[in-house]
Amino acid sequence: MANRTPQANQSWLPEANSPTVDFPLTHLPYGAFEHEGQQHLCTAIGDHLLDLYVCAASNLLPPTLIEACQAPTLNSLMSLGHRSWTLLRESLTALLHADVEPDRRQGVEGALHSIAGATLVRAVHVPNYTDFYASIHHATRVGQLFRPDQPLLPNYKHIPIGYHSRTSSIVSSGTPITRPVGQSRPIAAQEQPDFLPSNALDYELELALYIGEPSVLGNPVPISHAFHHLFGVSLLNDWSARDIQSWEYQPLGPFLAKNFATSVSAWVTPMAALAPFRVPAIPRSDADPRLLPYLHSTVDQQQGSLNVKLEVFISTETMRENKLTPFLLSESNAHDLYWTPAQLIAHHTSNGCNLQVGDVLATGTISGPTEASAGCLLELTRNGAQPILLPTGESRTFLADGDEIILRGSCEVPGSPRIGLGECRATILPARI
Amino acid sequence: MANRTPQANQSWLPEANSPTVDFPLTHLPYGAFEHEGQQHLCTAIGDHLLDLYVCAASNLLPPTLIEACQAPTLNSLMSLGHRSWTLLRESLTALLHADVEPDRRQGVEGALHSIAGATLVRAVHVPNYTDFYASIHHATRVGQLFRPDQPLLPNYKHIPIGYHSRTSSIVSSGTPITRPVGQSRPIAAQEQPDFLPSNALDYELELALYIGEPSVLGNPVPISHAFHHLFGVSLLNDWSARDIQSWEYQPLGPFLAKNFATSVSAWVTPMAALAPFRVPAIPRSDADPRLLPYLHSTVDQQQGSLNVKLEVFISTETMRENKLTPFLLSESNAHDLYWTPAQLIAHHTSNGCNLQVGDVLATGTISGPTEASAGCLLELTRNGAQPILLPTGESRTFLADGDEIILRGSCEVPGSPRIGLGECRATILPARI
């Protein structure tokens, strides 16, 4: 465990030492940006990004890492395994630390760019994308809307419910989202379904868990080793068209209601940076069923959950015209999830299904126990029955064209510098019809 | 349209001119095989494969195709588009035609290998895999088992139901399948679910439709152009653990019941080879709902369905010990599907979801109208209630360890040489527990 005195975490970039910065020296998330027509990997420090391609070319990084640091995506680094992840993180920490030698600091300065001026792009090639349903508060409140007599299905507390989602339509933060067109049947009695732009477009506040260490087809990952397979974490918005979903999802689950777009934030926070923010899993009550052994580990119960505070903001066109700051729709925290990341991995592989380098396991909507901590509009507005009033006098049941949704995440505990996950934002464009 | 007189389709390989061969000159499916530690693309003719890598190196193929023919997967060729697909097919047809020049024939002879002696591997990298539910006979019979009062859900005739499946666990024909372990709750009243090897392992007889021409995120593919996006077709077995499925699938659909393995056949039959076997879509009755315009095209209704005869065989350990030939479990035909390939593509992209080169759209279980034409054991044995008696005196409700399942497909119409899709086979290994 690194020394946590302030001096130990000081960077020679003064901005990185501010207590409110997202990217202090203890964070060092990975990303990618466009550089003269190429895609370069980078890390973030303060308000700057550090070009890993250039660092590798300038012999500022260990020789064994040069190829991975000059690749267009993080998948090469992920494939090198834990030792290399640690080596790169230590190397970057040393380069950006206040104690760095002056000549190395000069080399680093030549590889720094302002984040504000850069075009960030997706850093990870995602071969497979699974979306879970790990928030019991979300599952319960959604269930209350559609099955008031049995909000939580009998399997929920036994099995981490998940389904496969679509990788082709994962887009980076900032990419506009076109409102999808699709079939819906708003009135159950109507003969023909409508085929119209979605009238119930929603966001879902989630975390993306990136797999760094793959698993072999046929070989379940024991829960004791499961956390070890994680490379890092991003913010994820699983856009959802509720009207399309309710008409199409029986019997095989959501399809076109989800696969028109999924937004991910630019920065991948390595698990090493999250170490100070690991917390106990939420305690199971005596009334809860016993965990099956493949889902239980004492270490996981003690420190397998992540204390990541999450926020959703909306900025409407009218708000932007009036120069109003984005409006906070809700706050929640990933530590409220019923299932831990290790449980999701152990379950996913329990039948022998293999994980590949770069796979995303999304948590599902992260909602907390209170109404104000709901991670989507379906919950916040009770499926449109209770509109949200905005400071402009506007109201929302679901998203309007021009609305921008901004997800933010941060970790704060006494004794460790705060880190921020950056943001995942996108604006809704009108349907093309 | 090529001249269909027998002479026009004669190859200089006599075996390829037999009326019962799977791979006559009019077929020329694509595959890949292991060659001295590398993966080479190939086509099939008679009992032989033709090494495309070597053909390209020997200047037997047009210069614009050399790079794609020396790639390890078909994705490069797919990316080149229709003109290149046609050019390669015409070039290969000429090389293998009875009229080929002797020196070119000599070159080709040096690139031929016996299929029986080759190790065939997956020819396509599959970025995304979608599984549909396009057989109304399958949907109805499965529905009868679980919802006798409403076998077919209200959405079925309006919307091609589909869901995302898992690409990481797609394996080539011949790869053994390990019985998955998982949660199930055979008795609804039992408190704790079991965690055991699946007791209801099933196959599903399907076709894989390979996307060759991609589409752009946000841009629906009109149904009039949809068929054009297809590169070719394979056999696909979507292995399913029914006991795991029934416990996990609410509310988000099948997950671990499916993603432990999907088998695909080695050969990809190009759409050009299927041209003689395009038939009208099954007629909709007056009682059926009107198709929404995005799912309707007159051309699709007239010739958008594929006349592919399909068979499922089982070979148990006892059958193999007694040298008995595999036992025919059922026969069906892809022309019985309720939704055409073009409808699946138009629907999949109707919300703006993009298709990528190499994507698989599977049809879902292909069952016919009769009980004997059911494409899975769930239907054939009525969820295990009516065991199948085998010639050895053995019986099956679901699959036993050691069982081998063999899917076969073929196309036959008067006036065109028969073509066969080869086979998709795999043997069940005991669970690892």
mmCIF file of all heavy atoms in Angstrom, chain B residues 9 57 68 71 129-130 149 172 199 212 228 244 246 293 301 305 317 333 341 347 399 403 408 427:
data_model
loop_
_atom_site.group_PDB
_atom_site.id
_atom_site.type_symbol
_atom_site.label_atom_id
_atom_site.label_comp_id
_atom_site.label_asym_id
_atom_site.label_seq_id
_atom_site.Cartn_x
_atom_site.Cartn_y
_atom_site.Cartn_z
ATOM 1 N N ASN B 9 -21.803 -26.745 -66.430
ATOM 2 C CA ASN B 9 -21.391 -26.826 -65.033
ATOM 3 C C ASN B 9 -20.384 -27.941 -64.774
ATOM 4 O O ASN B 9 -20.186 -28.340 -63.639
ATOM 5 C CB ASN B 9 -22.626 -27.053 -64.151
ATOM 6 C CG ASN B 9 -23.595 -25.893 -64.259
ATOM 7 O OD1 ASN B 9 -23.165 -24.746 -64.321
ATOM 8 N ND2 ASN B 9 -24.875 -26.197 -64.302
ATOM 9 N N ALA B 57 -0.911 -16.732 -54.556
ATOM 10 C CA ALA B 57 0.550 -16.665 -54.680
ATOM 11 C C ALA B 57 1.014 -17.133 -56.058
ATOM 12 O O ALA B 57 2.071 -16.721 -56.543
ATOM 13 C CB ALA B 57 1.197 -17.515 -53.582
ATOM 14 N N ALA B 68 -6.901 -10.155 -50.091
ATOM 15 C CA ALA B 68 -8.052 -10.752 -49.406
ATOM 16 C C ALA B 68 -7.958 -12.273 -49.389
ATOM 17 O O ALA B 68 -8.361 -12.916 -48.413
ATOM 18 C CB ALA B 68 -9.348 -10.303 -50.076
ATOM 19 N N ALA B 71 -5.570 -13.435 -46.639
ATOM 20 C CA ALA B 71 -5.921 -13.100 -45.258
ATOM 21 C C ALA B 71 -6.356 -14.369 -44.530
ATOM 22 O O ALA B 71 -6.750 -15.345 -45.159
ATOM 23 C CB ALA B 71 -7.047 -12.067 -45.253
ATOM 24 N N TYR B 129 -23.294 -11.272 -32.992
ATOM 25 C CA TYR B 129 -24.105 -12.459 -33.294
ATOM 26 C C TYR B 129 -25.505 -12.235 -32.724
ATOM 27 O O TYR B 129 -25.674 -12.077 -31.519
ATOM 28 C CB TYR B 129 -23.420 -13.679 -32.694
ATOM 29 C CG TYR B 129 -24.229 -14.938 -32.508
ATOM 30 C CD1 TYR B 129 -25.336 -15.248 -33.291
ATOM 31 C CD2 TYR B 129 -23.860 -15.854 -31.528
ATOM 32 C CE1 TYR B 129 -26.056 -16.418 -33.094
ATOM 33 C CE2 TYR B 129 -24.567 -17.039 -31.323
ATOM 34 C CZ TYR B 129 -25.674 -17.294 -32.115
ATOM 35 O OH TYR B 129 -26.382 -18.456 -31.911
ATOM 36 N N THR B 130 -26.467 -12.190 -33.640
ATOM 37 C CA THR B 130 -27.870 -12.012 -33.260
ATOM 38 C C THR B 130 -28.612 -13.296 -33.554
ATOM 39 O O THR B 130 -28.402 -13.898 -34.604
ATOM 40 C CB THR B 130 -28.493 -10.865 -34.079
ATOM 41 O OG1 THR B 130 -27.775 -9.672 -33.823
ATOM 42 C CG2 THR B 130 -29.959 -10.673 -33.706
ATOM 43 N N ASP B 149 -52.738 -21.604 -23.211
ATOM 44 C CA ASP B 149 -53.868 -20.736 -23.552
ATOM 45 C C ASP B 149 -53.488 -19.658 -24.572
ATOM 46 O O ASP B 149 -54.358 -19.105 -25.245
ATOM 47 C CB ASP B 149 -54.422 -20.063 -22.292
ATOM 48 C CG ASP B 149 -53.305 -19.408 -21.482
ATOM 49 O OD1 ASP B 149 -52.170 -19.969 -21.469
ATOM 50 O OD2 ASP B 149 -53.539 -18.355 -20.869
ATOM 51 N N SER B 172 -16.105 -24.061 -34.161
ATOM 52 C CA SER B 172 -16.278 -24.698 -35.462
ATOM 53 C C SER B 172 -16.821 -26.112 -35.299
ATOM 54 O O SER B 172 -16.651 -26.744 -34.248
ATOM 55 C CB SER B 172 -14.948 -24.723 -36.205
ATOM 56 O OG SER B 172 -13.978 -25.348 -35.414
ATOM 57 N N ASN B 199 -29.556 -30.790 -17.031
ATOM 58 C CA ASN B 199 -30.261 -32.049 -17.217
ATOM 59 C C ASN B 199 -31.187 -31.972 -18.434
ATOM 60 O O ASN B 199 -31.973 -32.882 -18.669
ATOM 61 C CB ASN B 199 -31.092 -32.324 -15.954
ATOM 62 C CG ASN B 199 -31.402 -33.781 -15.785
ATOM 63 O OD1 ASN B 199 -30.679 -34.640 -16.298
ATOM 64 N ND2 ASN B 199 -32.488 -34.071 -15.092
ATOM 65 N N GLY B 212 -22.144 -9.408 -45.281
ATOM 66 C CA GLY B 212 -20.935 -9.050 -46.032
ATOM 67 C C GLY B 212 -20.815 -7.553 -46.218
ATOM 68 O O GLY B 212 -19.728 -6.992 -46.164
ATOM 69 N N HIS B 228 -29.212 -7.821 -50.261
ATOM 70 C CA HIS B 228 -27.920 -7.462 -50.838
ATOM 71 C C HIS B 228 -26.800 -7.424 -49.783
ATOM 72 O O HIS B 228 -25.621 -7.540 -50.128
ATOM 73 C CB HIS B 228 -28.078 -6.083 -51.480
ATOM 74 C CG HIS B 228 -27.042 -5.722 -52.479
ATOM 75 N ND1 HIS B 228 -26.948 -6.337 -53.710
ATOM 76 C CD2 HIS B 228 -26.039 -4.799 -52.444
ATOM 77 C CE1 HIS B 228 -25.940 -5.805 -54.386
ATOM 78 N NE2 HIS B 228 -25.375 -4.874 -53.644
ATOM 79 N N ILE B 244 -31.625 -24.448 -17.342
ATOM 80 C CA ILE B 244 -31.007 -23.166 -16.965
ATOM 81 C C ILE B 244 -31.852 -22.019 -17.533
ATOM 82 O O ILE B 244 -32.136 -21.028 -16.849
ATOM 83 C CB ILE B 244 -29.550 -23.106 -17.490
ATOM 84 C CG1 ILE B 244 -28.697 -24.195 -16.819
ATOM 85 C CG2 ILE B 244 -28.955 -21.728 -17.280
ATOM 86 C CD1 ILE B 244 -27.272 -24.304 -17.359
ATOM 87 N N SER B 246 -35.069 -21.803 -18.284
ATOM 88 C CA SER B 246 -36.391 -21.503 -17.724
ATOM 89 C C SER B 246 -36.288 -20.776 -16.380
ATOM 90 O O SER B 246 -37.192 -20.049 -15.989
ATOM 91 C CB SER B 246 -37.222 -22.778 -17.594
ATOM 92 O OG SER B 246 -36.637 -23.645 -16.667
ATOM 93 N N PRO B 293 -44.884 -1.257 -43.425
ATOM 94 C CA PRO B 293 -44.179 -1.023 -44.701
ATOM 95 C C PRO B 293 -42.680 -1.330 -44.646
ATOM 96 O O PRO B 293 -42.116 -1.808 -45.637
ATOM 97 C CB PRO B 293 -44.426 0.465 -44.969
ATOM 98 C CG PRO B 293 -45.711 0.763 -44.264
ATOM 99 C CD PRO B 293 -45.723 -0.116 -43.040
ATOM 100 N N GLN B 301 -41.272 -10.830 -50.980
ATOM 101 C CA GLN B 301 -42.370 -11.794 -50.863
ATOM 102 C C GLN B 301 -42.297 -12.829 -51.992
ATOM 103 O O GLN B 301 -42.662 -13.986 -51.807
ATOM 104 C CB GLN B 301 -43.731 -11.075 -50.888
ATOM 105 C CG GLN B 301 -43.992 -10.241 -49.632
ATOM 106 C CD GLN B 301 -44.055 -11.076 -48.360
ATOM 107 O OE1 GLN B 301 -44.829 -12.003 -48.257
ATOM 108 N NE2 GLN B 301 -43.201 -10.749 -47.389
ATOM 109 N N SER B 305 -37.245 -15.995 -49.711
ATOM 110 C CA SER B 305 -37.055 -17.127 -48.804
ATOM 111 C C SER B 305 -36.082 -18.119 -49.445
ATOM 112 O O SER B 305 -35.897 -18.117 -50.661
ATOM 113 C CB SER B 305 -38.416 -17.776 -48.537
ATOM 114 O OG SER B 305 -38.328 -18.668 -47.456
ATOM 115 N N GLU B 317 -23.088 -43.058 -28.244
ATOM 116 C CA GLU B 317 -21.901 -43.921 -28.076
ATOM 117 C C GLU B 317 -22.231 -45.357 -28.436
ATOM 118 O O GLU B 317 -21.446 -46.040 -29.101
ATOM 119 C CB GLU B 317 -21.418 -43.846 -26.619
ATOM 120 C CG GLU B 317 -20.505 -42.672 -26.374
ATOM 121 C CD GLU B 317 -19.881 -42.677 -24.965
ATOM 122 O OE1 GLU B 317 -20.061 -43.645 -24.222
ATOM 123 O OE2 GLU B 317 -19.241 -41.691 -24.635
ATOM 124 N N ASN B 333 -37.266 -27.334 -43.353
ATOM 125 C CA ASN B 333 -36.806 -26.557 -44.508
ATOM 126 C C ASN B 333 -36.874 -25.072 -44.165
ATOM 127 O O ASN B 333 -37.865 -24.602 -43.596
ATOM 128 C CB ASN B 333 -37.672 -26.850 -45.744
ATOM 129 C CG ASN B 333 -37.014 -26.320 -47.012
ATOM 130 O OD1 ASN B 333 -36.665 -25.146 -47.111
ATOM 131 N ND2 ASN B 333 -36.814 -27.208 -47.981
ATOM 132 N N PRO B 341 -34.900 -13.599 -44.606
ATOM 133 C CA PRO B 341 -33.629 -12.948 -44.259
ATOM 134 C C PRO B 341 -33.673 -11.426 -44.432
ATOM 135 O O PRO B 341 -33.161 -10.689 -43.581
ATOM 136 C CB PRO B 341 -32.637 -13.598 -45.228
ATOM 137 C CG PRO B 341 -33.192 -14.979 -45.459
ATOM 138 C CD PRO B 341 -34.688 -14.786 -45.474
ATOM 139 N N HIS B 347 -35.475 -5.255 -40.125
ATOM 140 C CA HIS B 347 -35.910 -5.018 -38.742
ATOM 141 C C HIS B 347 -34.721 -4.667 -37.848
ATOM 142 O O HIS B 347 -34.781 -3.713 -37.066
ATOM 143 C CB HIS B 347 -36.635 -6.242 -38.197
ATOM 144 C CG HIS B 347 -37.147 -6.043 -36.806
ATOM 145 N ND1 HIS B 347 -38.102 -5.104 -36.501
ATOM 146 C CD2 HIS B 347 -36.805 -6.629 -35.620
ATOM 147 C CE1 HIS B 347 -38.346 -5.118 -35.202
ATOM 148 N NE2 HIS B 347 -37.565 -6.037 -34.641
ATOM 149 N N LEU B 399 -30.188 -34.450 -24.434
ATOM 150 C CA LEU B 399 -28.947 -35.107 -24.874
ATOM 151 C C LEU B 399 -28.187 -35.752 -23.718
ATOM 152 O O LEU B 399 -28.135 -35.204 -22.609
ATOM 153 C CB LEU B 399 -28.051 -34.085 -25.579
ATOM 154 C CG LEU B 399 -28.642 -33.504 -26.873
ATOM 155 C CD1 LEU B 399 -27.763 -32.380 -27.414
ATOM 156 C CD2 LEU B 399 -28.809 -34.600 -27.922
ATOM 157 N N ASP B 403 -23.338 -38.225 -26.849
ATOM 158 C CA ASP B 403 -24.175 -38.059 -28.050
ATOM 159 C C ASP B 403 -23.489 -37.100 -29.021
ATOM 160 O O ASP B 403 -22.966 -36.056 -28.618
ATOM 161 C CB ASP B 403 -25.544 -37.471 -27.682
ATOM 162 C CG ASP B 403 -26.460 -38.477 -26.999
ATOM 163 O OD1 ASP B 403 -26.082 -39.676 -26.911
ATOM 164 O OD2 ASP B 403 -27.552 -38.074 -26.552
ATOM 165 N N ARG B 408 -27.325 -31.303 -41.189
ATOM 166 C CA ARG B 408 -26.980 -31.278 -42.614
ATOM 167 C C ARG B 408 -27.973 -30.394 -43.346
ATOM 168 O O ARG B 408 -29.119 -30.247 -42.915
ATOM 169 C CB ARG B 408 -27.006 -32.687 -43.220
ATOM 170 C CG ARG B 408 -25.864 -33.545 -42.718
ATOM 171 C CD ARG B 408 -25.655 -34.811 -43.537
ATOM 172 N NE ARG B 408 -24.640 -35.634 -42.864
ATOM 173 C CZ ARG B 408 -24.771 -36.930 -42.571
ATOM 174 N NH1 ARG B 408 -25.852 -37.588 -42.925
ATOM 175 N NH2 ARG B 408 -23.802 -37.574 -41.940
ATOM 176 N N THR B 427 -19.906 -33.398 -30.425
ATOM 177 C CA THR B 427 -20.198 -34.429 -29.422
ATOM 178 C C THR B 427 -20.228 -33.789 -28.040
ATOM 179 O O THR B 427 -19.429 -32.901 -27.735
ATOM 180 C CB THR B 427 -19.101 -35.512 -29.473
ATOM 181 O OG1 THR B 427 -19.053 -36.035 -30.801
ATOM 182 C CG2 THR B 427 -19.382 -36.646 -28.499
#
